[in-house]
Amino acid sequence: MTAVSSIHAQGDKLPPSRLWRVFWLQGVIPSNLLWAAALWALAQGRTPLLLAMFAALLLFTGWIISAVWRAAPSAQNPNYGIAARGLTVAWGLNTVLVVFFLMLQLLAQ
């Protein structure tokens, strides 16, 4: 029995862990909003805004990877912590690669 589960009766719903808040509320939702804004700027041809969004995405990605990594041990199931770390690193790698290739496309224009 863990410390978290020992204070709740059997069948009670546990409160969301810190990992849940960091992963979903600070990671997934803001990241998707940043990408939506970047893609809007790309579609509108607003290069200075797009470059600013790319910079924000890269900085945010570096921050969220470390935040999820630190919050992973707070997961109620250790497998969720491992999954969150893996998914966040994969998302970060995807972000870096997409920004890189979109920058190459911008430079070729």
Side-chain angles (χ1 to χ4, degrees):
M1 185 177 303
T2 65
V4 173
S5 64
S6 66
I7 60 173
H8 296 282
Q10 190 74 0
D12 279 354
K13 205 169 165 149
L14 296 173
S17 68
R18 180 172 168 264
L19 175 62
W20 184 91
R21 288 188 300 275
V22 170
F23 185 83
W24 290 106
L25 301 179
Q26 295 176 6
V28 172
I29 294 171
S31 182
N32 279 295
L33 292 174
L34 285 170
W35 267 115
L39 293 176
W40 179 84
L42 179 66
Q44 299 297 314
R46 298 181 182 214
T47 306
L49 177 59
L50 181 61
L51 295 175
M53 294 307 303
F54 283 168
L57 271 162
L58 292 173
L59 290 171
F60 176 80
T61 297
W63 172 78
I64 198 61
I65 288 172
S66 65
V68 168
W69 205 270
R70 287 189 314 268
S74 74
Q76 293 158 356
N77 180 338
N79 292 331
Y80 291 159
I82 294 168
R85 284 177 172 174
L87 289 168
T88 305
V89 169
W91 180 266
L93 182 60
N94 182 59
T95 295
V96 169
L97 290 172
V98 170
V99 167
F100 174 74
F101 286 112
L102 287 174
M103 288 295 296
L104 285 179
Q105 181 180 345
L106 283 175
L107 291 173
Q109 292 179 354

